[in-house]
Amino acid sequence: MYPNLTGIIIALLPFAAILVILMMNSRRPSVLNPVESPKSDLPRVIPRDQHPVSRRELSDNALKVLYRLKDAGYDSYLVGGCVRDILLDKHPKDFDVATEAHPEQVHELFRNSRLIGRRFKLVHVRFGREIIEVATFRASHDSNDKSGQQSEGGMLLRDNVYGTVIDDALRRDFTVNALYYSVKDFAIHDYANGLEDLNNRTLRMIGDPEARYREDPVRMLRAVRFAAKLQFSIEPGTEEPIKRLADLLGNIPAARLFEEVLKLFLSGDAETTFELLREFELFGILFPATEHALQLFELNPKQQPDCEALLRAAFRSTDSRVRQGKSVTPAFIYAALLWHPMQRRMGALQAKGLPAVPALHQASQEIILEQIQSTTIPRRFSQPMREIWELQLRLPRRTGRRPEQTFEHPRFRAAYDFLLMREIAGEDLDGLGEWWTQYQLDHAPATTNYPQHAEREHGNDNDESRTPKRRRRRRRSKPATGNND
Ligand code: ATP
Ligand code: MG
């Protein structure tokens, strides 16, 4: 009998081993790559009397959404940039809600809501001009998951598996972006030690940085953007892989990169962001021709135009406009970014005998076509951008009726600002900027309080200095372009 029992045990051993492996697997965190498990004292719950986030600072509409979800029995939080920014005494850009309710359930609760999303489903709850984005808690994927959610290189192809609030926290990018505020207890729930990093002004990737960048290379751009915006230092482990992996950005669709470029350069910290993008060798992936022009100048500053000076002038001017709450347009930034590559190409075409105007047209066309391989440029921006360039050829013509015709052009104002920027960047244009400043003062309607030279605006289609009559005429002939369209 005993030998029999031993035999049975031996026979069962493989099955027992399989059972143990299965049990171990089911207990693994449902994240793609080994994410550090939350430290033992996590989640930390910081009660209302120990943190500065008060309901007065939150959007009333975001609170409405949170209360309705809570009343319907769903666990829900404010999360991401809004909690982070309030803790840093900054004004949040928008309010994002994370909840256990599924998108359809959220949609049912709000008549004023819409299901959206390509990569993952979200709900937008609209209150006039404000949109509160509500996302269901998501989990990442197990690295053994062969269901086609990941590419060969580790990039996430789909990211729409629902999870718990802890899963949701651990699949976020940086620890300071994984702080949750609840209206159940008005406490802040910290699942990734974000508060400590926030206090130390440190940007730290949740989990293994390299794996997280491979999952979504856009996180490299986000690291740079937040470091510039928050004036945080990037934790060494989070910083180290960026240069090595920069090329992975080439796998991201050009349309998504265009959206990221807008956030990088139109959020008020463009100049610092530009410096960091170059430092981490990300800039050349987004703007290869511009990077080439920058390097040409570095190699031969005496012979080459100072591309960097023009970009800095454009970014500085944009940053100052954003801080003053004025409108800014991607057309102007792109015109500056691609100006020197376009000029070089135009010069080469002229050297082959093409006259200036057709050379500029052809060069613009070629440079834009090359750029959209990296980041798209919607036509509503590329068209005004071409016009800003084209007007640079018309502005030097100061005789006869020419100035009047140039002044009448709907893109005059942006082109004039561009001209001033070229001068600020060191181009000698024979006093052209000053001439046009005087021209406008001489031709401005008596009632208009025209701004002084130092306060010029750029790229603004809603040009306050124009008379209502002229503005109406222009609107009919050409739709407005820019951020506010
Ligand atoms: P801001 O809106 O001020 O630019 P934000 O942190 O709110 O900053 P969003 O792009 O609005 O950034 O994203 C909201 C939140 O979603 C982030 O805080 C982060 O938690 C998460 N998130 C966004 N993009 C990613 C990403 N690519 N990978 C991981 N988490 C992300
Ligand atoms: Mg946000």
Side-chain angles (χ1 to χ4, degrees):
M1 180 181 169
Y2 284 111
N4 256 353
L5 187 60
T6 313
I8 291 170
I9 290 171
I10 289 170
L12 285 177
L13 266 179
F15 295 104
I18 290 170
L19 199 67
V20 168
I21 289 169
L22 282 176
M23 280 169 65
M24 280 170 65
N25 264 344
S26 71
R27 290 176 60 190
R28 279 162 61 125
S30 58
V31 287
L32 179 63
N33 288 294
V35 169
E36 275 171 40
S37 59
K39 301 203 171 141
S40 51
D41 61 338
L42 296 174
R44 267 178 73 204
V45 179
I46 298 94
R48 173 63 194 97
D49 57 356
Q50 287 172 34
H51 70 73
V53 179
S54 105
R55 269 168 289 169
R56 259 176 295 133
E57 286 167 281
L58 304 177
S59 137
D60 288 343
N61 297 322
L63 284 170
K64 270 185 218 162
V65 171
L66 284 172
Y67 282 121
R68 191 166 309 169
L69 284 164
K70 178 174 88 85
D71 293 345
Y74 298 117
D75 205 16
S76 327
Y77 303 85
L78 277 182
V79 63
C82 57
V83 181
R84 178 198 70 213
D85 288 352
I86 294 176
L87 287 169
L88 291 168
D89 216 12
K90 283 178 176 284
H91 195 65
K93 209 173 70 189
D94 45 36
F95 290 84
D96 295 321
V97 170
T99 178
E100 66 179 348
H102 284 198
E104 292 74 16
Q105 294 169 320
V106 178
H107 184 46
E108 263 171 36
L109 281 180
F110 299 94
R111 271 196 308 136
N112 49 333
S113 72
R114 216 155 65 86
L115 280 164
I116 59 143
R118 270 171 274 165
R119 282 179 79 225
F120 31 77
K121 265 195 202 166
L122 298 167
V123 181
H124 275 178
V125 188
R126 182 181 276 281
F127 299 88
R129 292 187 63 181
E130 188 178 18
I131 290 177
I132 306 296
E133 190 169 288
V134 185
T136 304
F137 296 147
R138 288 206 299 272
S140 297
H141 307 276
D142 195 290
S143 51
N144 295 328
D145 182 354
K146 295 277 185 278
S147 60
Q149 312 271 20
Q150 252 188 301
S151 75
E152 289 284 304
M155 196 157 100
L156 279 185
L157 302 176
R158 279 175 42 224
D159 183 16
N160 53 2
V161 171
Y162 299 137
T164 64
V165 62
I166 297 178
D167 292 328
D168 192 76
L170 296 183
R171 64 104 203 151
R172 287 177 186 272
D173 45 9
F174 304 102
T175 59
V176 293
N177 285 350
L179 294 164
Y180 292 69
Y181 170 89
S182 163
V183 287
K184 236 188 213 168
D185 52 8
F186 308 112
I188 288 176
H189 299 239
D190 179 1
Y191 296 93
N193 218 28
L195 270 178
E196 194 180 311
D197 285 334
L198 189 122
N199 289 333
N200 295 328
R201 307 189 74 81
T202 300
L203 198 66
R204 183 191 308 273
M205 181 66 82
I206 297 175
D208 173 42
E210 174 160 350
R212 303 300 313 280
Y213 291 135
R214 285 187 183 280
E215 272 178 17
D216 182 4
V218 167
R219 289 175 186 148
M220 293 186 273
L221 296 178
R222 291 175 62 83
V224 162
R225 179 159 71 85
F226 291 127
K229 167 180 165 155
L230 308 173
Q231 293 166 306
F232 273 27
S233 55
I234 308 180
E235 178 270 326
T238 303
E239 182 181 300
E240 182 279 322
I242 299 183
K243 270 191 205 173
R244 268 193 299 119
L245 303 180
D247 282 347
L248 293 179
L249 272 178
N251 302 332
I252 301 296
R256 186 168 176 219
L257 288 184
F258 173 74
E259 295 299 323
E260 290 303 318
V261 165
L262 298 192
K263 292 185 204 162
L264 290 166
F265 294 139
L266 300 181
S267 300
D269 303 287
E271 196 182 3
T272 322
T273 304
F274 167 65
E275 285 165 9
L276 289 176
L277 284 174
R278 285 212 79 210
E279 185 185 327
F280 289 108
E281 296 173 15
L282 296 164
F283 184 79
I285 314 279
L286 298 174
F287 296 97
T290 316
E291 176 63 34
H292 184 60
L294 287 163
Q295 286 179 11
L296 284 177
F297 175 74
E298 281 160 11
L299 287 173
N300 194 352
K302 290 216 175 81
Q303 299 287 315
Q304 295 291 333
D306 191 348
C307 180
E308 180 171 336
L310 183 83
L311 292 184
R312 282 188 185 274
F315 292 140
R316 237 172 255 165
S317 150
T318 307
D319 288 347
S320 122
R321 286 183 62 86
V322 172
R323 294 209 178 104
Q324 293 171 62
K326 293 180 178 175
S327 69
V328 283
T329 166
F332 194 85
I333 282 289
Y334 265 89
L337 281 161
L338 298 176
W339 171 249
H340 282 112
M342 188 282 284
Q343 285 277 287
R344 243 175 90 75
R345 187 69 54 89
M346 181 181 160
L349 292 167
Q350 281 179 291
K352 284 188 198 158
L354 217 61
V357 173
L360 180 131
H361 285 162
Q362 189 176 328
S364 308
Q365 178 71 4
E366 287 176 13
I367 291 294
I368 291 171
L369 277 177
E370 282 169 29
Q371 178 57 37
I372 61 176
Q373 308 299 313
S374 312
T375 73
T376 55
I377 317 174
R379 257 188 74 80
R380 67 183 189 282
F381 303 127
S382 62
Q383 189 52 32
M385 180 177 122
R386 285 172 202 263
E387 289 169 15
I388 291 171
W389 287 345
E390 207 177 302
L391 281 163
Q392 301 307 304
L393 289 187
R394 284 170 57 174
L395 286 164
R397 300 180 193 154
R398 298 179 234 181
T399 52
R401 276 184 44 80
R402 290 250 174 79
E404 199 186 325
Q405 287 162 355
T406 304
F407 187 44
E408 282 290 313
H409 193 285
R411 215 62 65 192
F412 167 79
R413 188 50 183 271
Y416 162 71
D417 287 333
F418 197 85
L419 181 80
L420 292 185
M421 249 181 27
R422 290 171 58 199
E423 286 187 336
I424 291 169
E427 257 189 89
D428 182 2
L429 298 172
D430 193 22
L432 197 55
E434 197 49 49
W435 190 89
W436 275 108
T437 304
Q438 193 56 46
Y439 181 94
Q440 291 169 85
L441 288 170
D442 295 345
H443 293 78
T447 49
T448 306
N449 183 13
Y450 198 76
Q452 293 304 298
H453 187 269
E455 296 167 4
R456 296 272 184 253
E457 300 174 346
H458 81 59
N460 188 356
D461 297 306
N462 292 344
D463 189 339
E464 299 97 20
S465 71
R466 299 197 189 284
T467 60
K469 192 173 147 220
R470 290 178 62 191
R471 199 185 298 162
R472 268 200 303 279
R473 213 173 56 212
R474 286 206 172 75
R475 283 255 168 86
R476 262 204 306 274
S477 61
K478 205 152 214 153
T481 1
N483 274 8
N484 33 9
D485 68 358

